[in-house]
Amino acid sequence: MSSLMAEMSAKALELGVPLSAQIDLTYRCNERCVHCYLDHDDHGEMTTGEIKKLLDELASAGVLFLTLSGGEILLRKDFFEILEYARGLSFCVKLKTNAILIREAEAERIRTLNVDSIQVSIYSHRPEIHDAITKVPGSLKRSLAAIRFLKAQELKVIVADVLMRQNAADYPRVRALASELGAEFTLDPTITPKMDGDRSILGLNAGETALHQVFRDQDLVGNVEEFCAPPSKAGADDFEVLPCSAGHTACYISPYGDVYPCVQFPLPSGNVRRTPFLEIWRHSKALQEVRSIRVGDLTSCSHCDHLTSCTRCPGLAYMEGNMRGPSVQDCEKSFARTGIPSKNLLSKRQLNPELVQIQGFRTSAAVA
Amino acid sequence: MSGKLYVSRSRSVAARKLGDEMLIMSGRDSTLFTLDEVATILWEAADGGNPLDQIVDEKICREFDVERGEAMQDAEALVRGLADHGILQISNEPFGAPDVPGLVER
């Protein structure tokens, strides 16, 4: 984060302004990714008018960075009407899409609307792996073609990969592919539970060996020695730190108008169909509770060696049953990074050794 | 040529007021800028229809204790700097419709 961005984020926090928001326009999708956390049925999406009203409210509340995501955003017939309206309100718009429905005309329209960036999900350079993950034959070819259309318009494209058992060995080639296409690359090493709490897809997580490798990839993490160094001892100030921006300067709104602190933190905080956004943002008891939490309040993590460097996600902790608790997946990442088990992993090991066996990594050759 | 300078917010930027500052994200290279209170007033008035000297007279000199010549000089330097970054357009002729609808204030 640039120093100016950090300064503005601090100011937004001080003023209670939601600088960033993500709206999932739909949960419907034309792919069926094995790791997806959403229910793709339409349970009554917001209408065009409702979304425009919400955008007005978000602009009034001070949101600058607006992410439009899904589901697949281009499945909404009113997608470009919504996008045009959002840009008319001067949002910095970022799109997340599988891009299957983007051809020359759509890419050109996106460019004329001055979208900041388009994030496209690519899970492998190999069609047999990518298409098996999306469950749509030909999807890699179509997504890559779309990226070329977008790049022909000189748009900023980010290739987003998710590390899973199926594709763990492929990310260097996906990164190289992104570079060839003139796109940026990002890798998410975490599979998240479904929004309804179903944790069955967590078995897709790549496992310790793959995480160990990823965290020692200089191209991804920069200075490996620094990144994987044992955590430093916590000082008094570290206990006053906010866990993350979710609910503080960022929020999420579902296709049905539900407001959550973050897409990964499905804590019901209100619904914009019943209550104006700003009223929810300022007065929701759920959001106020999230805002009240400091690192020092975290039940296990505040006594953990990893306190100063852990990437603990409060949403994942919430999905595990306690927003003040640890998130096992982040404990596993801290362990893979430093080789030092977290307090939470040690506690679980004492209770039941089998619970902390980090799943062995099946080699890519075995799953390819 | 009228000899006057007209200013219009660029269509490509994203912008939002944060407190008394304006946050502006360049559409050209995603660079983030902030404008202070006075620059924000100029930015908000840059609708392409009113000349800069009129904006300075009506929005700056009436509100702030500043000498007109100095205010005009500073304003011109500012808008030319913003134009260099592609977040403002300048012309000696009025622009058509404003590039960006009225900015939303909290």
Side-chain angles (χ1 to χ4, degrees):
Chain A
M1 186 187 288
S2 72
S3 59
L4 181 57
M5 192 63 230
E7 192 185 317
M8 290 303 113
S9 296
K11 184 168 181 179
L13 182 66
E14 183 188 331
L15 295 172
V17 171
L19 206 52
S20 309
Q22 174 171 326
I23 304 176
D24 277 357
L25 297 177
T26 178
Y27 285 161
R28 289 174 290 128
C29 196
N30 47 3
E31 290 184 338
R32 283 293 179 272
C33 298
V34 294
H35 61 289
C36 187
Y37 50 84
L38 296 173
D39 165 8
H40 295 301
D41 291 336
D42 180 358
H43 297 287
E45 294 169 3
M46 284 187 283
T47 63
T48 313
E50 286 176 315
I51 289 177
K52 286 182 176 178
K53 179 171 172 282
L54 171 61
L55 290 171
D56 288 336
E57 292 178 357
L58 293 177
S60 297
V63 172
L64 173 62
F65 302 103
L66 176 71
T67 300
L68 298 178
S69 184
E72 174 45 48
I73 48 179
L74 279 119
L75 284 181
R76 278 197 70 125
K77 290 185 169 45
D78 56 0
F79 168 69
F80 279 106
E81 184 180 348
I82 291 166
L83 178 58
E84 190 170 353
Y85 194 82
R87 283 295 298 131
L89 290 167
S90 282
F91 287 106
C92 173
V93 178
K94 300 164 190 287
L95 305 179
K96 291 185 178 178
T97 172
N98 60 40
I100 279 181
L101 296 173
I102 294 177
R103 295 285 184 270
E104 289 103 324
E106 288 78 16
E108 186 179 355
R109 186 120 190 242
I110 290 169
R111 194 254 306 152
T112 58
L113 289 169
N114 294 294
V115 165
D116 179 71
S117 62
I118 305 99
Q119 182 173 304
V120 182
S121 305
I122 301 289
Y123 305 117
S124 174
H125 61 292
R126 295 180 288 169
E128 64 271 26
I129 299 297
H130 176 92
D131 295 357
I133 289 171
T134 65
K135 297 184 186 171
V136 176
S139 56
L140 177 64
K141 190 176 173 187
R142 293 180 67 177
S143 293
L144 293 180
I147 291 174
R148 292 189 179 94
F149 293 138
L150 292 164
K151 288 309 299 180
Q153 296 292 332
E154 298 183 346
L155 286 158
K156 178 178 166 185
V157 176
I158 301 161
V159 165
D161 193 359
V162 178
L163 197 70
M164 295 174 250
R165 286 181 171 278
Q166 288 90 330
N167 67 354
D170 288 0
Y171 81 84
R173 294 290 298 275
V174 178
R175 182 174 58 201
L177 181 58
S179 177
E180 266 172 47
L181 292 165
E184 295 179 14
F185 173 75
T186 178
L187 178 67
D188 185 346
T190 310
I191 303 290
T192 56
K194 293 190 176 187
M195 284 184 101
D196 64 5
D198 179 355
R199 303 178 68 80
S200 60
I201 55 175
L202 298 190
L204 297 169
N205 269 305
E208 186 194 352
T209 309
L211 283 178
H212 190 273
Q213 180 187 338
V214 163
F215 290 155
R216 282 153 188 81
D217 183 334
Q218 189 177 338
D219 291 334
L220 286 177
V221 304
N223 185 327
V224 174
E225 198 177 332
E226 197 175 290
F227 187 77
C228 296
S232 55
K233 194 168 168 50
D237 289 350
D238 292 314
F239 293 91
E240 295 305 314
V241 170
L242 299 169
C244 84
S245 64
H248 295 271
T249 58
C251 68
Y252 166 83
I253 301 106
S254 82
Y256 314 120
D258 296 312
V259 178
Y260 301 145
C262 169
V263 64
Q264 284 192 182
F265 194 168
L267 172 71
S269 304
N271 187 293
V272 294
R273 282 173 153 159
R274 294 189 294 272
T275 313
F277 172 78
L278 200 53
E279 200 174 318
I280 296 170
W281 178 256
R282 286 183 177 159
H283 305 301
S284 154
K285 284 192 166 49
L287 290 177
Q288 286 176 353
E289 183 180 2
V290 169
R291 289 174 195 142
S292 73
I293 300 171
R294 298 292 178 274
V295 165
D297 301 324
L298 304 178
T299 48
S300 172
C301 304
S302 59
H303 305 291
C304 179
D305 289 342
H306 290 284
L307 179 129
T308 55
S309 60
C310 182
T311 56
R312 175 188 173 276
C313 168
L316 288 177
Y318 169 76
M319 297 285 273
E320 281 183 33
N322 179 5
M323 70 170 95
R324 291 176 176 78
S327 142
V328 167
Q329 284 168 285
D330 290 304
C331 292
E332 289 174 350
K333 281 190 275 186
S334 290
F335 179 66
R337 198 161 41 81
T338 63
I340 300 169
S342 68
K343 182 178 172 57
N344 179 43
L345 289 183
L346 288 171
S347 306
K348 286 184 182 295
R349 187 179 291 170
Q350 281 171 353
L351 288 171
N352 182 350
E354 289 181 9
L355 283 176
V356 291
Q357 288 294 316
I358 297 170
Q359 289 162 325
F361 173 59
R362 200 188 306 164
T363 64
S364 59
V367 294
Chain B
M1 290 290 212
S2 66
K4 287 186 179 292
L5 196 60
Y6 292 84
V7 288
S8 177
R9 297 182 292 269
S10 168
R11 185 187 293 274
S12 65
V13 303
R16 193 71 72 230
K17 208 166 175 186
L18 181 63
D20 54 8
E21 290 180 301
M22 183 66 72
L23 271 178
I24 299 176
M25 176 74 86
S26 162
R28 187 189 285 171
D29 56 8
S30 297
T31 305
L32 187 65
F33 298 87
T34 58
L35 304 183
D36 65 15
E37 186 183 0
V38 177
T40 296
I41 291 170
L42 283 175
W43 166 266
E44 289 181 313
D47 61 2
N50 296 313
L52 185 63
D53 57 353
Q54 185 182 326
I55 294 171
V56 169
D57 284 341
E58 292 179 0
K59 305 282 185 185
I60 307 294
C61 295
R62 277 188 204 165
E63 297 294 324
F64 298 91
D65 183 19
V66 59
E67 191 266 319
R68 187 182 185 277
E70 189 185 338
M72 193 60 209
Q73 200 173 355
D74 289 349
E76 196 166 325
L78 174 75
V79 298
R80 290 192 187 284
L82 294 178
D84 285 345
H85 289 291
I87 62 178
L88 201 68
Q89 296 170 288
I90 55 178
S91 169
N92 292 116
E93 301 292 337
F95 290 83
D99 272 344
V100 180
L103 294 169
V104 179
E105 290 194 43
R106 290 190 308 280

